[in-house]
């Protein structure tokens, strides 16, 4: 057994999955030979087909990053300018920014205390006659209450988009999460379980979305003579696509390793007073993107920030995802958080969430060492 001084440090929350370098070389050789570098090359098209199959959607369109994919997913809906899009404040800044960049207004709704995903009751309270869409986030890999959100969207005639950056490969009752709502947006950034160094994807369950998304991704160009929409450059190059083709077969192995880590963390932490481990969701196959704890300082006796600092001193870099939350950022500071409770739960939990190192570089001894932080 390794002693703590021999532990590999630093230890980060994520570590990018990488194929063996020699496996990448034939792809490079072919790219050099064909001189097809971007604009929908053969690797790009093959990866889109494979991802469409993997995510079980008829329309899977690659993007240069998740943020551009979010921008385009919202753009595709042609929402009225200045209309309101209800979202969660407990997310990465890109979620709210994508709304604002589209000249729409983000309206923040509280999270559910169990899953930390957007609370449908709070969403319903946030609806006005200016609301045009809901942008929900499967945060940490927890799946939103997709049934209630779809019910609300249908009842009020709203569009529904999922930021599924944390939910690649997750299923609910054997159904891919990529098929819910009007669209699901993935990030293939290096920190995500499946990545293309940088990258993203829009998945939709409608084949007819393909053309509008395709045009928006490429400046709105339909053909040599026609530009049909106010598009952007969201294209993915062949190097990124090759990495994706090599990484895709590796993720089931990575997911299995992370699933074991999750089990071990839970075993060691589940009976620590004031520390809440994530609960499995009924019918959900977890994406294994993050492992998050909720630390209640009153019953645990120490704050989340204290645990974070103490781990950091030992070379263990946990992350306070997503603190500060969006409404703590300058552009959204005066925005209200709509809630079904007296005080929004997100304002409490933002000081209590902590993501622990969660990837195949974390050994069993590391888990023991990290969890020792939580024993008196
Ligand atoms: C990573 C992430 C994004 C943005 O993805 P990029 O590919 O980095 O642009 C959006 N939303 C969430 C929740 C994320 O975690």
């Amino acid at each position: 057994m390794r002693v703590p001084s021999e532990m590999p440090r630093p230890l980060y929350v994520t570590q990018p999955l990488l194929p063996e370098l020699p496996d990448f070389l034939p792809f490079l050789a072919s790219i050099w030979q064909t001189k097809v570098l971007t604009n929908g090359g053969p690797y790009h098209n093959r990866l889109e087909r494979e991802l469409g199959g993997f995510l079980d959607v008829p329309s899977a369109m690659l993007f240069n990053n998740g943020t551009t994919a979010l921008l385009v997913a919202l753009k595709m809906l042609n929402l009225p300018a200045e209309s309101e899009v209800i979202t969660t404040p407990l997310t990465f800044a890109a979620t709210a920014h994508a709304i604002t960049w589209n000249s729409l207004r983000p309206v923040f709704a509280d999270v559910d205390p169990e899953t930390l995903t957007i609370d449908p009751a709070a969403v319903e309270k946030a609806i006005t006659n200016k609301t045009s869409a809901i942008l929900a986030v499967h945060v940490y890999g927890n799946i939103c209450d997709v049934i209630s959100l779809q019910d609300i969207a249908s009842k009020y005639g709203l569009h529904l988009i999922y930021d599924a950056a944390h939910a690649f490969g997750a299923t609910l009752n054997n159904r891919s999460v990529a098929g819910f709502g009007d669209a699901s947006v993935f990030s293939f950034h290096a920190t995500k379980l499946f990545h293309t160094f940088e990258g993203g994807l829009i998945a939709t369950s409608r084949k007819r979305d393909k053309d509008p998304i395709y045009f928006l991704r490429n400046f709105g160009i339909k053909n040599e003579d026609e530009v049909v929409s106010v598009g952007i450059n969201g294209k993915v190059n062949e190097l990124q696509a090759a990495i994706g083709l090599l990484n895709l077969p590796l993720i089931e192995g990575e997911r299995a390793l992370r699933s074991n880590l999750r089990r071990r963390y839970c075993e060691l932490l589940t009976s620590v007073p004031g520390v809440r481990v994530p609960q499995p969701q009924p019918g959900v196959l977890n994406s294994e993107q993050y492992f998050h704890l909720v630390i209640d300082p009153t019953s645990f006796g120490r704050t989340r920030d204290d645990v974070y600092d103490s781990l950091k001193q030992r070379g263990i870099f946990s992350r306070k995802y997503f603190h500060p939350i969006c409404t703590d950022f300058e552009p959204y500071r005066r925005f209200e958080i709509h809630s079904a409770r007296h005080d929004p739960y997100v304002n409490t939990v933002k000081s209590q969430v902590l993501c622990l190192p969660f990837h195949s570089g974390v050994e069993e001894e590391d888990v023991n060492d990290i969890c020792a932080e939580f024993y008196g």
Side-chain angles (χ1 to χ4, degrees):
M1 189 182 138
R2 290 179 303 163
V3 297
S5 62
E6 294 170 345
M7 298 290 190
R9 297 289 188 264
L11 202 55
Y12 296 107
V13 159
T14 59
Q15 169 180 285
L17 195 59
L18 279 172
E20 297 296 325
L21 186 56
D23 293 341
F24 188 47
L25 301 181
F27 285 85
L28 280 182
S30 162
I31 290 167
W32 254 247
Q33 198 205 343
T34 62
K35 299 187 172 53
V36 178
L37 310 185
T38 184
N39 285 30
Y43 294 143
H44 169 277
N45 294 343
R46 199 173 115 199
L47 183 59
E48 276 195 344
R49 277 196 305 277
E50 290 190 13
L51 288 170
F54 188 87
L55 296 171
D56 194 21
V57 284
S59 172
M61 311 281 284
L62 282 166
F63 277 83
N64 51 4
N65 58 62
T67 305
T68 318
L70 277 171
L71 289 175
V72 168
L74 284 164
K75 189 87 180 165
M76 170 185 81
L77 300 177
N78 276 315
L79 304 172
E82 311 302 328
S83 65
E84 296 171 354
V85 179
I86 300 171
T87 193
T88 169
L90 189 70
T91 183
F92 188 54
T95 315
H97 289 349
I99 297 169
T100 311
W101 267 72
N102 270 291
S103 299
L104 303 164
R105 186 181 164 81
V107 169
F108 296 100
D110 201 9
V111 300
D112 173 83
E114 285 301 312
T115 63
L116 306 185
T117 59
I118 199 164
D119 175 9
V123 169
E124 199 154 12
K125 287 196 81 166
I127 291 172
T128 71
N129 56 11
K130 288 190 187 145
T131 309
S132 58
I134 302 164
L135 174 49
V137 182
H138 300 303
V139 69
Y140 311 116
N142 280 350
I143 303 309
C144 296
D145 182 347
V146 292
I147 308 289
S148 301
L149 290 175
Q150 187 59 62
D151 283 350
I152 293 170
S154 305
K155 180 171 159 194
Y156 293 92
L158 307 175
H159 288 283
L160 176 59
I161 293 190
Y162 288 100
D163 178 336
H166 299 177
F168 185 80
T171 60
L172 173 62
N173 300 327
N174 294 318
R175 189 176 155 198
S176 166
V177 297
F180 294 114
D182 293 282
S184 291
V185 176
F186 295 88
S187 163
F188 298 157
H189 182 256
T191 50
K192 306 304 199 285
L193 174 79
F194 172 73
H195 74 91
T196 56
F197 284 24
E198 291 266 8
L201 185 102
I202 301 179
T204 86
S205 50
R206 291 184 299 251
K207 238 195 171 92
R208 66 178 153 88
D209 292 335
K210 245 183 168 151
D211 278 353
I213 299 171
Y214 182 88
F215 301 146
L216 284 170
R217 185 175 63 183
N218 188 33
F219 314 100
I221 295 173
K222 183 174 181 184
N223 55 44
E224 281 189 40
D225 302 313
E226 283 179 281
V227 172
V228 295
S229 56
V230 184
I232 199 165
N233 181 358
K235 298 192 302 292
V236 164
N237 66 52
E238 287 291 274
L239 292 176
Q240 291 168 288
I243 292 292
L245 287 169
L246 289 163
N247 271 345
L248 193 55
L250 303 180
I251 67 163
E252 285 313 327
E254 175 70 20
R255 203 192 303 277
L257 278 160
R258 291 186 186 192
S259 160
N260 280 331
L261 280 180
R262 172 183 299 277
R263 207 168 302 126
R264 188 69 187 141
Y265 271 133
C266 286
E267 263 170 35
L268 292 175
L269 295 176
T270 197
S271 51
V272 176
V275 174
R276 186 148 58 90
V277 298
Q279 296 302 309
Q281 294 181 274
V284 170
L285 174 73
N286 201 297
S287 65
E288 306 297 359
Q289 174 61 44
Y290 289 118
F291 181 82
H292 71 286
L293 298 175
V294 177
I295 300 167
D296 174 0
T298 314
S299 33
F300 180 56
R302 289 168 65 199
T303 63
R304 181 275 313 271
D305 287 356
D306 185 42
V307 172
Y308 169 89
D309 290 337
S310 170
L311 286 171
K312 194 168 173 177
Q313 274 169 15
R314 297 200 280 131
I316 300 160
F317 292 86
S318 60
R319 293 298 299 263
K320 308 172 188 179
Y321 292 142
F322 285 95
H323 187 220
I325 59 173
C326 292
T327 44
D328 296 325
F329 299 145
E330 190 50 41
Y332 309 114
R333 210 184 283 283
R334 276 163 293 276
F335 285 51
E336 182 186 348
I337 300 171
H338 298 265
S339 181
R341 318 166 133 241
H342 185 62
D343 295 311
Y345 181 69
V346 70
N347 279 333
T348 302
V349 82
K350 70 180 183 182
S351 317
Q352 301 184 342
V353 279
L354 192 67
C355 289
L356 298 180
F358 194 53
H359 51 80
S360 52
V362 181
E363 308 277 337
E364 176 137 2
E365 288 99 322
D366 296 317
V367 177
N368 296 342
D369 189 28
I370 292 164
C371 291
E373 186 67 39
F374 296 87
Y375 298 113

